[in-house]
Amino acid sequence: MINGVLITPLKIIETKGGNVLHSLKHQDQGFKSFGEAYFSEIHPNAIKAWKLHKDMTLNITVPVGKVRFVLYDDRFETNGKFQELIISRTNYVRLTVPPRVWLGFQGLSNKNSLLLNVADIPHNPKEVIKKDLNNIYFDWSK
């Protein structure tokens, strides 16, 4: 595990007419404050990588589809540590990513997947560092 990353099991409550999928409560570990919430769509086999937030904490759930998340910590004390997690309805969890950890993700469903991020601060392009997919080597074919 990468220091500061949390994986929190979430409840899916089955109800007549459609399920209720929990995401985040203000008292949950990993919640700092509310900055913004947004959805990101991921096409089948698409890879969105690499992004690092200098200040933002991410709280990510996947209510639709199946997504592989790869975290990379290049801070001095870790010497380049990876952490991988697949989130879907069968592994319905919230992934909390602290600032200064690289993030990439890949759609694994045969249809579009959808992730929800509840961030602790609003998006600011000056707060994000991006790298091309090939700048951090990871074998996405696994």
Side-chain angles (χ1 to χ4, degrees):
M1 293 280 293
I2 293 174
N3 189 29
V5 172
L6 301 173
I7 300 169
T8 307
L10 297 173
K11 289 184 181 180
I12 298 176
I13 301 167
E14 294 184 16
T15 64
K16 197 173 188 176
N19 295 340
V20 175
L21 288 80
H22 280 204
S23 181
L24 184 65
K25 297 176 185 172
H26 71 90
Q27 73 266 25
D28 287 347
Q29 187 179 9
F31 179 81
K32 292 183 177 186
S33 64
F34 178 77
E36 70 175 2
Y38 65 84
F39 292 96
S40 183
E41 191 174 49
I42 307 102
H43 299 297
N45 298 311
I47 299 170
K48 295 184 176 184
W50 294 99
K51 185 186 286 190
L52 176 144
H53 289 278
K54 295 186 263 185
D55 301 310
M56 182 185 286
T57 297
L58 313 174
N59 282 288
I60 299 170
T61 56
V62 178
V64 177
K66 185 176 185 179
V67 179
R68 173 169 45 174
F69 293 89
V70 178
L71 307 171
Y72 178 67
D73 188 355
D74 66 352
R75 294 175 285 189
F76 176 74
E77 63 271 13
T78 65
N79 292 324
K81 185 176 190 178
F82 284 97
Q83 183 174 343
E84 185 177 351
L85 174 68
I86 295 173
I87 303 177
S88 67
R89 290 278 184 106
T90 57
N91 185 37
Y92 190 63
V93 299
R94 180 180 58 253
L95 172 62
T96 302
V97 182
R100 311 236 38 104
V101 173
W102 290 98
L103 173 69
F105 50 91
Q106 177 182 28
L108 297 180
S109 296
N110 57 4
K111 295 182 179 179
N112 288 350
S113 297
L114 190 69
L115 72 78
L116 166 65
N117 178 29
V118 180
D120 64 338
I121 61 174
H123 175 74
N124 176 350
K126 294 181 180 178
E127 182 269 339
V128 179
I129 301 171
K130 295 181 180 182
K131 287 187 179 184
D132 288 335
L133 181 63
N134 297 327
N135 283 61
I136 298 173
Y137 178 75
F138 181 81
D139 184 359
W140 292 93
S141 65
K142 294 180 185 178

